[in-house]
Amino acid sequence: MIGAIRKLERFFMTPSGRAVVLPLDHGAGEGMLHGLDNIPGLLADIGDRPVQGVVLNKGTARAYANEIPTATQLVVQLSAGTRHGLPAWNKSLVCSIPEALRLGADAVAVQVNIGNEQEDRMLTDLGMATEEAHQHGLPVMAVIVARGGNIVQELDPSLIAHCVRLGGELGPDMVCVPYSGHMDSFSRAVDACPVPVLVAGGPSMGDFENFIRHMEEALECGAAGVSIGRNIFQQDDPMAALDRLLTVVHSQRDDKTPQENDVRNG
């Protein structure tokens, strides 16, 4: 477990104490998604920007590992499922911990969608993957979303709070959830979570300024960083969008960085 803690700390060893993760793993689920036509180009463009991690599926990790900047950590996505499946929200483990290690993973990610008939199996996957990852000294990022036949509104504040709480209860080292837009309930959930909470970007928003305002709100609520994909790589100028996001996340503040003590406690 010590190895997992040390690797986790690297995500937050920034002046801001926050992390920016760039997920580029959407191709498995979405196919030829706009903006992901040239993953090695995106990785090369990161350069020396303070991006703490990128998320890749095992095939792209194997193909493009040498393109990842030295200071940026590789998060290997263990889960996959396509939008064509029945049900479309099903995710299964398609990569093992040993395989992720062979690819040079600094951490692994597992996705869980709650509120559907596959929830129990995805929770089992998270539990088993977390145990094995910790045995091998790897931190786990749990991406938890309310999505399924029992879900009416995915961004319902009570559901998002439950996603945060679920991540805190089941043992991963970071939990990544969408921002509900309800500052009070989100703040309470983040404050009660024993591990860092990252904010997922979700579908690309047409208004980038509105997206940035949402991220600023989530950070004010105590989020320890962001994990943003489509709202960056689907912009007309992805690197300009990334620079804007990095400025927002890594801006210096006078108050205590949220969750700065939670990394070791996770």
Side-chain angles (χ1 to χ4, degrees):
M1 188 64 181
I2 293 175
I5 293 173
R6 287 174 57 83
K7 291 182 177 70
L8 178 66
E9 287 178 335
R10 295 171 192 161
F11 283 88
F12 303 98
M13 291 176 64
T14 58
S16 67
R18 292 169 172 161
V20 172
V21 176
L22 182 64
L24 303 175
D25 58 336
H26 304 69
E30 301 293 330
M32 290 300 296
L33 191 65
H34 168 66
L36 283 186
D37 306 278
N38 183 12
I39 290 179
L42 286 171
L43 294 173
D45 286 344
I46 290 173
D48 60 358
R49 290 177 169 88
V51 174
Q52 282 63 60
V54 295
V55 184
L56 296 174
N57 292 306
K58 62 181 184 179
T60 45
R62 182 182 300 112
Y64 308 132
N66 291 336
E67 305 295 332
I68 300 172
T70 303
T72 301
Q73 298 183 92
L74 169 61
V75 182
V76 173
Q77 175 61 262
L78 304 184
S79 306
T82 79
R83 59 188 177 89
H84 310 293
L86 294 175
W89 45 77
N90 182 35
K91 298 290 182 181
S92 299
L93 293 180
V94 295
C95 181
S96 69
I97 299 300
E99 186 171 14
L101 284 166
R102 290 195 298 271
L103 293 168
D106 300 293
V108 293
V110 178
Q111 177 150 355
V112 174
N113 295 326
I114 66 169
N116 60 76
E117 63 272 31
Q118 301 294 331
E119 175 188 296
D120 60 339
R121 203 254 312 132
M122 284 185 271
L123 289 173
T124 299
D125 286 349
L126 173 61
M128 295 177 64
T130 298
E131 166 65 12
E132 187 174 6
H134 287 168
Q135 286 180 0
H136 288 83
L138 278 180
V140 178
M141 179 172 73
V143 182
I144 305 180
V145 180
R147 183 173 296 155
N150 294 332
I151 303 301
V152 176
Q153 171 54 265
E154 293 184 7
L155 296 182
D156 182 291
S158 66
L159 285 173
I160 299 298
H162 197 160
C163 290
V164 174
R165 186 61 183 245
L166 188 61
E169 295 282 348
L170 295 188
D173 306 280
M174 295 180 278
V175 56
C176 180
V177 301
Y179 174 53
S180 63
H182 190 274
M183 294 187 71
D184 182 60
S185 65
F186 195 76
S187 297
R188 289 179 61 235
V190 170
D191 287 345
C193 187
V195 299
V197 176
L198 304 183
V199 179
S204 180
M205 297 175 65
D207 185 347
F208 186 71
E209 292 303 317
N210 187 44
F211 161 74
I212 287 294
R213 284 193 293 273
H214 272 72
M215 295 302 102
E216 289 174 333
E217 270 194 16
L219 293 168
E220 287 178 21
C221 292
V226 300
S227 179
I228 307 298
R230 284 170 288 193
N231 281 287
I232 296 300
F233 63 71
Q234 290 190 330
Q235 298 295 325
D236 292 337
D237 188 340
M239 291 303 111
L242 179 59
D243 287 338
R244 179 75 183 283
L245 180 65
L246 289 168
T247 299
V248 167
V249 175
H250 290 315
S251 60
Q252 292 298 304
R253 304 184 315 159
D254 294 329
D255 60 324
K256 182 179 177 182
T257 300
Q259 299 184 351
E260 65 182 14
N261 295 323
D262 291 345
V263 171
R264 287 192 177 274
N265 295 336

